[in-house]
Amino acid sequence: MIVDQIRESVLSGLKELYDQSFQEKDFQINQTRPEFEGDYTVVLFGLVKSLKKSPDALGHELGAKMVSNNPTLFTAYNLIKGFLNLTVSDTYWVDLLASNTDASCYGKGAPNGQRIMVEYSSPNTNKPLHLGHLRNNFLGWSISEILKGSGADVFKTCIVNDRGIHICKSMLAWDNWGNGATPDSTGIKGDHFVGDYYVRFNEEYKKEVKELVDRGMKEVEAEKEAPLMKATQEMLLKWEQGDPHIVGLWKMMNSWVYSGFDITYKKIGSDFDKTYYESNSYLLGKEDVEQGLKNGVFHQKSDGSVWIDLTDDGLDEKLVRRKDGTSVYITQDIGLARLKYTEFKIDQSIYVIGDEQNYHMKVLKLICQKLGMPFANDIHHLSYGMVELPTGKMKSREGTVVDADDLVDEMIRIARQHTMELGKVNDFTEAELDALCDTIGLGALKFYLLRVDPKKRMIFNPEESIDFHGFTGPFIQYTHARIRSILRKESIDFSHKPAGEGLLKLEKQLLIELEQFGNIILQSANELDPSQMAIYIYTLAKTYNTFYAEHSVSRAESEEKKELRLRISLLTAEVIRSGMAMLGIKVPDRM
RNA sequence: GGUCCGGUAGCUCAGUUGGAUAGAGCAUCAGCCUUCUAAGCUGAGGGUCAUGCGUUCGAGUCGCAUCCGGAUCACCA
């Protein structure tokens, strides 16, 4: 890549001139700001001190050396204060097109043998997916594709939280008040159907608590003593004992939820290579506790409970086994981490989980490290901020959530409305139109959630619908459709190299940006940050639109220019398509 | 209280291991469709980068302190 070549040239130039060795940390290479002449800039200040030279003298000596050493790569340099601006030859940029006639895999890394697992989505089976889950699903899917793009083998997994006290709540509510209703009998999607009973439970439970408080009981106590809570705990106990009625109820209601999830996952494009169920894995990790006790990582208190002391690491004491011998959340996670490692022989394990669990993930990694597990150092938490409403946090118990299905449907509806108003695809069949509106609506939604730095929390205002103009998915999709429209009408002659001299500013700018694609993939992968990809694709599309308004492709000044611009357009379209695919967003040929 | 994260234009967000005059989109205003798709392009206005001190050739970026917002510190998951 060009930045690497410049770096090499700087290092060897310095070596020749001053017989000193430097590292890449000692200077910076940036894209030259548009108000100056040049393509890339070497910032010299970091070198000045140890060479005992003025930035001016150093810049001229180094610039001249670099140009004379690499006459085919650099055509000129200029120096402003401590900034050495280099002009890269037009031939270099145009050769980019010649060496990438097969644009479909452009920018992607060669297979590197890395095996990476990405756990994401991880729903509870007591309620439908909401906006927060969408951010999780889009991030998980996207980072998986970006990691694949960087050359890794990726395994997508999901841990379904299908058991526990919260699951029993909706089960109990259905048992009490369901009157045998089913998703089929009511026509309600299965996950919503079950979620409604979860909400119902909490309503009734609240009433009971209030009644007890009114009779003089303390709230904390009332929450424990409410008959519904007691009944739920009893149900959980029966489930753990394998009570046939309870297990049957559990299986039936979970199957309703799964059929609902399937529809949603299919719509939003989430899928998994392996699904783990908590009902199968919640007993994992017990041997790890035994092992930890043996080698002194854990210690047992007089009541029989088992702990790990993390105070030396700035954390607290953490329980890993209750006094009654049952395991806690973190214990399962230790066991599951081990299972993933042994089943898939993975080099890295990435967890897409909200930032409310930052502490938990820190503890998990630390415990695995202390237990001497070989995979411990390769656990990474892709932590993301909560999606909140202007009114504050979403609470599923109170039903104040933006439902995933509703939101997706709404986005598609708006996409259809825009599309019909513009009337550009009136010849589409109904099926084609449906597919297009799905693409645009979901594209808008996914881009909206992915363009923001994952670790930042974001506020979503349902009153202001997600935009289709500007820094959005549809803007990029539209740019792609425009390019395809040109390419449909013209053909490209791949038999010869496009002419290389006299690149116009915008032609060169596009090539410079296209050249960066490979670096962007690596950077997004290394930092587990799809927003960098989103910003890059947007910038590229924006540059293309400026170019499009300024210069004609079909009616270029000469055949050579036309050929060159067709090739640039094709590569731009491919990079947009490929980059958007890594965000889980499709791009249409027409819209 | 301890730990962690955040605070940049009216709003939503960028800002690479410190680099040139802090950038986009939305919204507002003014232009651009007889020529490849106007979901587009061009221009204008809009900033005490939360606050203060420090580090140095140079700080939105690093350090310390303070203010504001959030998360977390369960024998819950």
Side-chain angles (χ1 to χ4, degrees):
Chain A
M1 287 177 239
I2 185 67
V3 176
D4 300 317
Q5 291 192 42
I6 294 171
R7 187 182 302 114
E8 286 310 310
S9 175
V10 171
L11 288 171
S12 62
L14 289 169
K15 182 85 180 160
E16 284 177 43
L17 284 167
Y18 313 113
D19 197 31
Q20 273 197 49
S21 290
F22 290 90
Q23 298 176 330
E24 52 177 288
K25 285 173 196 161
D26 298 324
F27 57 92
Q28 286 180 7
I29 299 165
N30 301 329
Q31 225 191 304
T32 304
R33 297 179 67 112
E35 59 266 36
F36 302 102
E37 184 70 29
D39 301 326
Y40 277 90
T41 297
V42 184
V43 185
L44 302 169
F45 297 107
L47 302 164
V48 169
K49 202 174 271 180
S50 64
L51 286 170
K52 299 195 179 73
K53 284 200 159 277
S54 72
D56 220 43
L58 169 62
H60 281 295
E61 289 172 12
L62 181 60
K65 189 76 187 173
M66 287 174 72
V67 172
S68 73
N69 276 358
N70 308 278
T72 54
L73 188 58
F74 305 119
T75 55
Y77 79 89
N78 67 81
L79 193 68
I80 299 168
K81 292 190 268 182
F83 299 90
L84 173 61
N85 301 320
L86 296 160
T87 302
V88 177
S89 77
D90 287 355
T91 324
Y92 175 86
W93 299 117
V94 174
D95 280 353
L96 211 63
L97 297 169
S99 55
N100 290 290
T101 47
D102 176 17
S104 60
C105 59
Y106 172 73
K108 297 199 173 171
N112 59 21
Q114 277 276 308
R115 297 168 66 85
I116 304 178
M117 175 164 283
V118 177
E119 177 194 294
Y120 75 106
S121 194
S122 304
N124 293 319
T125 57
N126 62 341
K127 57 195 175 194
L129 304 181
H130 60 65
L131 181 53
H133 293 114
L134 289 180
R135 191 179 197 187
N136 182 306
N137 276 274
F138 297 161
L139 277 170
W141 168 273
S142 174
I143 202 60
S144 299
E145 292 304 309
I146 289 169
L147 289 166
K148 283 183 197 171
S150 77
D153 290 327
V154 178
F155 308 94
K156 289 179 275 192
T157 61
C158 177
I159 168 84
V160 181
N161 300 115
D162 62 345
R163 50 141 256 140
I165 193 83
H166 52 300
I167 309 298
C168 290
K169 288 177 180 175
S170 39
M171 285 161 61
L172 192 82
W174 184 85
D175 217 16
N176 282 357
W177 308 296
N179 296 319
T182 68
D184 279 342
S185 76
T186 55
I188 300 172
K189 191 163 165 283
D191 48 341
H192 291 262
F193 181 85
V194 172
D196 289 345
Y197 284 96
Y198 184 67
V199 173
R200 178 74 188 272
F201 174 93
N202 283 292
E203 286 166 2
E204 301 290 341
Y205 172 61
K206 248 184 178 170
K207 280 187 215 161
E208 287 190 352
V209 171
K210 187 175 183 301
E211 205 170 300
L212 290 172
V213 171
D214 287 347
R215 271 194 255 150
M217 194 181 278
K218 281 187 180 165
E219 188 163 348
V220 189
E221 203 176 332
E223 282 171 2
K224 283 183 199 160
E225 291 302 318
L228 276 171
M229 183 54 77
K230 294 242 167 194
T232 310
Q233 278 159 350
E234 197 181 316
M235 188 182 258
L236 181 61
L237 209 61
K238 281 187 180 167
W239 180 89
E240 287 183 2
Q241 291 161 350
D243 179 292
H245 171 68
I246 301 300
V247 170
L249 177 63
W250 173 74
K251 280 186 178 162
M252 181 175 70
M253 291 187 72
N254 273 355
S255 76
W256 294 339
V257 172
Y258 295 141
S259 66
F261 282 172
D262 283 347
I263 294 168
T264 306
Y265 281 145
K266 191 156 187 237
K267 191 86 179 175
I268 66 175
S270 282
D271 65 352
F272 308 97
D273 299 301
K274 167 89 187 186
T275 302
Y276 292 104
Y277 295 91
E278 199 193 301
S279 53
N280 291 328
S281 69
Y282 79 110
L283 297 175
L284 289 174
K286 294 201 161 201
E287 306 84 41
D288 293 304
V289 174
E290 285 303 325
Q291 191 61 37
L293 268 174
K294 254 180 228 165
N295 58 30
V297 175
F298 301 146
H299 61 271
Q300 196 154 22
K301 291 195 174 174
S302 54
D303 66 359
S305 57
V306 180
W307 299 74
I308 183 166
D309 185 359
L310 299 172
T311 47
D312 286 348
D313 301 281
L315 306 177
D316 305 280
E317 273 206 322
K318 187 86 187 167
L319 178 95
V320 293
R321 193 170 76 191
R322 298 190 185 97
K323 65 183 171 195
D324 64 6
T326 58
S327 45
V328 289
Y329 181 45
I330 193 111
T331 321
Q332 308 170 31
D333 278 351
I334 296 165
L336 187 58
R338 178 192 293 289
L339 183 64
K340 285 173 171 179
Y341 174 73
T342 51
E343 277 192 355
F344 285 86
K345 304 281 178 286
I346 47 176
D347 301 298
Q348 275 189 67
S349 192
I350 292 164
Y351 293 75
V352 183
I353 304 179
D355 62 7
E356 58 196 354
Q357 300 207 40
N358 283 355
Y359 179 77
H360 173 80
M361 289 304 296
K362 213 185 218 175
V363 170
L364 175 64
K365 184 168 180 171
L366 204 50
I367 293 180
C368 290
Q369 284 171 329
K370 286 182 184 295
L371 286 173
M373 295 178 162
F375 52 86
N377 293 328
D378 303 306
I379 288 174
H380 303 287
H381 180 196
L382 198 179
S383 167
Y384 63 92
M386 296 289 105
V387 184
E388 292 176 20
L389 303 176
T391 49
K393 280 189 83 166
M394 296 188 281
K395 292 208 174 79
S396 55
R397 272 185 305 186
E398 295 167 18
T400 59
V401 292
V402 175
D403 179 76
D405 294 320
D406 291 350
L407 184 57
V408 168
D409 289 346
E410 174 69 359
M411 292 306 299
I412 293 169
R413 190 189 66 74
I414 297 171
R416 180 177 283 264
Q417 190 185 318
H418 281 253
T419 303
M420 299 310 277
E421 278 169 14
L422 290 169
K424 293 179 184 178
V425 292
N426 290 338
D427 57 323
F428 270 26
T429 65
E430 195 56 32
E432 286 171 329
L433 185 62
D434 280 346
L436 177 63
C437 295
D438 280 10
T439 297
I440 297 171
L442 279 166
L445 182 57
K446 289 186 181 186
F447 196 86
Y448 180 85
L449 290 172
L450 287 175
R451 68 178 203 187
V452 181
D453 184 343
K455 69 173 179 287
K456 294 197 174 179
R457 66 198 170 96
M458 55 192 300
I459 294 171
F460 175 77
N461 189 345
E463 303 302 315
E464 300 165 14
S465 57
I466 294 170
D467 224 307
F468 285 67
H469 302 270
F471 186 16
T472 67
F475 170 91
I476 297 165
Q477 292 171 323
Y478 174 70
T479 309
H480 179 266
R482 274 182 142 183
I483 299 174
R484 283 294 159 204
S485 174
I486 297 173
L487 296 176
R488 269 197 301 278
K489 293 167 190 152
E490 307 286 348
S491 62
I492 300 176
D493 179 4
F494 287 102
S495 63
H496 59 82
K497 276 174 70 168
E501 294 307 311
L503 279 181
L504 299 178
K505 200 175 173 193
L506 284 164
E507 293 166 343
K508 195 204 253 185
Q509 181 58 30
L510 275 169
L511 288 167
I512 290 174
E513 287 177 16
L514 288 167
E515 195 272 340
Q516 296 167 343
F517 186 46
N519 257 341
I520 296 293
I521 297 174
L522 291 179
Q523 209 171 297
S524 305
N526 288 338
E527 294 175 32
L528 302 179
D529 181 5
S531 75
Q532 295 187 20
M533 177 61 72
I535 291 163
Y536 167 77
I537 301 288
Y538 168 67
T539 307
L540 177 64
K542 198 173 153 52
T543 304
Y544 189 88
N545 278 321
T546 303
F547 162 82
Y548 181 96
E550 197 78 24
H551 307 291
S552 177
V553 176
S554 304
R555 282 167 239 270
E557 302 84 290
S558 66
E559 272 308 305
E560 285 77 30
K561 273 291 177 204
K562 180 171 170 180
E563 197 69 19
L564 174 77
R565 289 178 190 166
L566 280 170
R567 298 281 281 265
I568 292 175
S569 298
L570 174 64
L571 191 58
T572 304
E574 281 302 313
V575 168
I576 287 175
R577 189 196 51 71
S578 169
M580 289 290 265
M582 288 185 222
L583 299 176
I585 300 173
K586 293 176 190 159
V587 287
D589 286 353
R590 290 180 57 193
M591 68 184 276

